[in-house]
Amino acid sequence: MKKPVDNNPLKAKDSLILWFAYYLFDALRQVSLFQQIRNIAKGCFFLRFKRKNVGVPSKDADAAWRSSQPFVTSYAFSDLWAILHLALGLAGCSIVAHTSLIWLRWIFVIYAVLRTFEIFVYQINVLLFDPIKVGRANYRIKSATRMILLLLCNIIEYILWFSIIYLFVFSNSGSSVNAIQMIHESFLIISNNARPEEMPNSFVAAIGYVEFVLGMFMNILCLARFISLLPAVQQVDDY
């Protein structure tokens, strides 16, 4: 049995910008902790599966491979990953606002940047490139309702991770910090109800512009894309 490979038919001659963006975001996907956990677990699972099925006919081994996949490839793992990061984001806001340990604040702010980048790359791939990877005829999602709930979780995560960054910057500058206030400000920016230039200094405003753009991306592209897939609601009247 051979390990499945990517048979993506996309070539540079078809569309240079599409080809470049596809492979760029496919490579950026590998930067995330989520993808590395999946890669390591799938590699270990494949090696164990291969040893267990030594001598098994190729046809039977392929069928067994398709029917038995590691937990990290399941929808439940993605759901659990999102829930755990919501909890971590909430804990991070409280810790960064109240701890005096600079190294601990640095850990949270670095992870906030990495997780924000991971969410953005994941969303771009799901929205644009995963259908190309598997073929549009074969592309399926578990549920439009589930996808919207995960996107809402991602929006909350964005709010929390950016709040951690704001808290870190303000605490290092000697300003008094309040986690609830920063979460509120972050919510206003990502929902496009506040302008980043209203932030106290230019550095924080620059971070705010990143969140502002991510908010537009989430609201205009991601949510609109999957809300349109929700099942139609039956009406009592025709008007």
Side-chain angles (χ1 to χ4, degrees):
M1 187 197 71
K2 295 181 179 179
K3 194 173 183 179
V5 296
D6 180 11
N7 294 318
N8 170 51
L10 186 64
K11 307 298 180 186
K13 64 181 180 180
D14 298 326
S15 171
L16 183 59
I17 189 170
L18 179 58
W19 175 87
F20 176 78
Y22 173 90
Y23 283 103
L24 172 63
F25 277 92
D26 192 53
L28 291 176
R29 189 202 307 260
Q30 305 305 318
V31 176
S32 71
L33 180 62
F34 176 80
Q35 188 62 36
Q36 288 306 311
I37 290 174
R38 273 191 161 181
N39 290 345
I40 293 169
K42 286 166 68 176
C44 294
F45 179 83
F46 176 75
L47 292 174
R48 186 169 63 249
F49 181 90
K50 191 174 181 180
R51 286 196 302 268
K52 184 179 178 182
N53 289 272
V54 172
V56 176
S58 179
K59 183 178 179 181
D60 294 338
D62 287 340
W65 170 262
R66 288 191 295 270
S67 63
S68 59
Q69 293 293 309
F71 175 69
V72 293
T73 64
S74 67
Y75 293 113
F77 179 73
S78 298
D79 297 347
L80 182 61
W81 188 259
I83 293 169
L84 288 175
H85 276 86
L86 282 176
L88 183 61
L90 283 169
C93 285
S94 177
I95 291 170
V96 172
H98 297 102
T99 187
S100 59
L101 301 174
I102 185 64
W103 62 267
L104 187 56
R105 293 206 299 261
W106 267 111
I107 288 174
F108 272 101
V109 79
I110 290 171
Y111 195 78
V113 172
L114 292 175
R115 177 58 180 162
T116 300
F117 179 77
E118 176 182 296
I119 295 172
F120 176 69
V121 171
Y122 180 80
Q123 289 167 344
I124 288 288
N125 278 311
V126 168
L127 190 67
L128 301 177
F129 302 121
D130 283 353
I132 297 174
K133 190 178 185 110
V134 301
R136 294 193 182 275
N138 300 318
Y139 183 65
R140 298 287 186 275
I141 62 172
K142 177 71 171 175
S143 161
T145 305
R146 171 184 173 273
M147 184 63 73
I148 291 171
L149 289 174
L150 285 175
L151 287 171
L152 291 174
C153 287
N154 289 158
I155 291 175
I156 296 172
E157 271 199 72
Y158 275 139
I159 293 170
L160 295 175
W161 296 124
F162 274 98
S163 297
I164 287 173
I165 297 172
Y166 297 142
L167 286 166
F168 175 81
V169 173
F170 286 129
S171 64
N172 281 356
S173 65
S175 304
S176 59
V177 291
N178 183 294
I180 300 299
Q181 180 184 357
M182 285 298 99
I183 291 173
H184 179 253
E185 292 294 331
S186 183
F187 168 76
L188 292 177
I189 291 175
I190 203 167
S191 61
N192 303 147
N193 288 315
R195 304 294 298 180
E197 57 265 25
E198 297 171 5
M199 299 299 276
N201 62 62
S202 58
F203 181 68
V204 178
I207 299 172
Y209 272 112
V210 175
E211 185 178 13
F212 187 81
V213 171
L214 288 175
M216 289 193 295
F217 169 75
M218 289 294 298
N219 295 329
I220 296 174
L221 291 179
C222 292
L223 284 174
R225 169 70 176 90
F226 290 103
I227 285 175
S228 67
L229 299 179
L230 287 173
V233 178
Q234 298 296 323
Q235 298 184 110
V236 175
D237 298 317
D238 292 332
Y239 52 86

